[in-house]
Amino acid sequence: MSNHRPPSELYREAAQTWVTLDAAARVLENTKSAIYSQKVLNLLAEFPHYSVAKAELKVKGSDAWLAHLDAIDRARTKANEARIQVDVARMQAMEQNSKEAYERQELRMVR
């Protein structure tokens, strides 16, 4: 299936997708330590006899924390894949420009 949209539009769409996914990944990455601290504090509030070290170990070993880390990794992976699509769109535009320039040069030589 041929795509008749201009390369600039394809690039813009790929870039916009990357920006959106990268922003989502950065939010998760930037709030990681705050969420961790909240989980530790909540555990200490629930079990005041725990030491901070014990609460931290319990949080780090919890399914909820591991799921959060997995969500961060998946979000970063999606953003990285979108970045690759931006690079592909850029390369395709460059290839098309090069092909068109070559064809123009061929036409000049034929005349």
Side-chain angles (χ1 to χ4, degrees):
M1 180 185 299
S2 177
N3 196 337
H4 298 307
R5 294 183 300 156
S8 60
E9 180 64 17
L10 298 174
Y11 179 81
R12 186 198 63 76
E13 287 177 3
Q16 185 60 50
T17 299
W18 173 65
V19 166
T20 301
L21 292 172
D22 186 61
R26 278 185 288 114
V27 165
L28 288 173
E29 291 164 349
N30 291 339
T31 59
K32 178 181 168 183
S33 62
I35 290 172
Y36 175 75
S37 296
Q38 286 175 343
K39 289 181 177 293
V40 170
L41 289 173
N42 289 341
L43 197 57
L44 288 171
E46 187 177 348
F47 301 99
H49 64 281
Y50 280 5
S51 68
V52 173
K54 183 174 183 175
E56 288 176 341
L57 283 174
K58 287 201 170 276
V59 168
K60 286 182 179 178
S62 70
D63 290 340
W65 183 246
L66 295 176
H68 183 68
L69 295 178
D70 184 56
I72 293 171
D73 288 343
R74 281 185 282 113
R76 176 51 52 205
T77 298
K78 282 184 179 182
N80 290 343
E81 289 169 347
R83 178 60 195 197
I84 290 169
Q85 290 306 309
V86 170
D87 293 339
V88 167
R90 180 183 301 125
M91 285 187 282
Q92 288 173 337
M94 290 170 44
E95 288 170 354
Q96 182 176 341
N97 288 342
S98 178
K99 179 183 175 200
E100 290 169 357
Y102 180 76
E103 289 170 353
R104 284 191 302 273
Q105 185 62 32
E106 274 187 330
L107 285 175
R108 284 187 206 114
M109 291 172 57
V110 172
R111 292 181 188 169

